[in-house]
Amino acid sequence: SIGGECREDVIRRHHEAIQHYLRWGMPLFVGHGTSLRTFLESCGSSAKIEQGSFVPFLYRKTET
């Protein structure tokens, strides 16, 4: 679990949010910590994100 929330719920919540906002174009998401890193890893990203940096990420919509 991640701060009381299971890993699968964190990943699902991020996918749902991104897919929701993609309807309006190309959104910019800003995040921090374990939940964002968990989501990016679930998408296959192995980028090492340093504090104060950014990582461009092309999200490919998943079928649910």
Side-chain angles (χ1 to χ4, degrees):
S1 101
I2 300 169
E5 188 175 15
C6 75
R7 176 181 172 83
E8 292 77 19
D9 287 346
V10 169
I11 293 168
R12 178 189 45 75
R13 184 168 45 86
H14 279 77
H15 281 288
E16 288 173 356
I18 288 174
Q19 289 182 23
H20 173 79
Y21 287 107
L22 280 173
R23 289 184 262 176
W24 292 285
M26 187 180 301
L28 170 66
F29 289 91
V30 178
H32 60 88
T34 304
S35 68
L36 183 58
R37 191 170 31 258
T38 298
F39 168 71
L40 291 173
E41 287 172 358
S42 80
C43 293
S45 175
S46 61
K48 300 296 181 199
I49 305 170
E50 300 295 326
Q51 184 175 358
S53 67
F54 69 93
V55 175
F57 181 77
L58 179 60
Y59 179 79
R60 302 209 185 275
K61 184 176 180 180
T62 59
E63 297 300 318
T64 55

